């Protein structure tokens, strides 16, 4: 099974996940291996392999992913203290699942990556 199938099964609710938000465009759920007290994954409901595949036709999906991340940050009460939004791209960028996804992390002071 390709690892991106896991996300497709979560979207279809064929695999149990702590889904915090879902609409026609995206699904947001808790990461099963959290790196922070708040660690949410936001994924498009339409398969996009990497950030490199964002184009004129699907670019609105990224904006909606950011919007949902910000709304969840406010709900989780991490927006005032701060949070990180991360999108990894391909192997050297740290992408482990070949399905575009955004990490929302917060709830603690997060170290800078550079």
């Amino acid at each position: 099974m390709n690892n991106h199938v896991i996300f497709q099964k979560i979207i279809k609710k064929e695999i149990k996940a702590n889904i915090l938000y879902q609409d026609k465009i995206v699904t947001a759920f808790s990461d099963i291996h959290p790196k922070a007290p708040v660690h949410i994954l936001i994924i498009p409901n339409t398969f996009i392999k990497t950030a490199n595949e964002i184009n004129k036709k699907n670019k609105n999906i990224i904006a909606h992913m950011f919007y949902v991340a910000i709304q969840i940050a406010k709900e989780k009460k991490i927006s005032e203290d701060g949070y990180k939004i991360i999108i990894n791209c391909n192997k050297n960028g740290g992408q482990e699942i070949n399905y575009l996804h955004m990490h929302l992390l917060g709830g603690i002071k997060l170290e800078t990556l550079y």
Side-chain angles (χ1 to χ4, degrees):
M1 175 175 12
N2 294 329
N3 60 10
H4 71 272
V5 173
I6 294 167
F7 283 177
Q8 292 170 329
K9 288 182 178 272
I10 289 171
I11 292 164
K12 295 176 185 175
K13 299 181 179 167
E14 295 172 358
I15 293 178
K16 187 177 180 186
N18 181 24
I19 295 176
L20 303 169
Y21 179 85
Q22 187 171 45
D23 62 19
K24 291 186 226 177
I25 302 169
V26 301
T27 299
F29 54 95
S30 299
D31 193 298
I32 60 170
H33 300 293
K35 306 289 189 246
V38 174
H39 189 168
I40 310 299
L41 297 179
I42 299 121
I43 63 174
N45 294 340
T46 303
F47 177 67
I48 300 172
K49 185 175 179 181
T50 73
N52 289 333
E53 294 183 4
I54 298 298
N55 56 44
K56 286 183 181 183
K57 185 177 176 183
N58 63 17
K59 67 183 179 178
N60 64 317
I61 293 171
I62 287 290
H64 191 63
M65 290 170 71
F66 270 94
Y67 175 78
V68 169
I70 293 163
Q71 297 314 305
I72 292 171
K74 290 175 182 177
E75 289 173 17
K76 295 289 186 181
K77 305 207 183 311
I78 61 171
S79 61
E80 291 299 317
D81 288 338
Y83 54 90
K84 282 189 179 193
I85 294 175
I86 300 170
I87 297 175
N88 300 316
C89 184
N90 288 328
K91 181 181 172 184
N92 286 349
Q95 184 176 5
E96 295 177 6
I97 295 179
N98 292 322
Y99 195 116
L100 177 69
H101 58 285
M102 173 182 286
H103 298 261
L104 169 63
L105 299 122
I108 57 171
K109 183 172 169 91
L110 298 160
E111 298 298 321
T112 306
L113 298 176
Y114 51 79

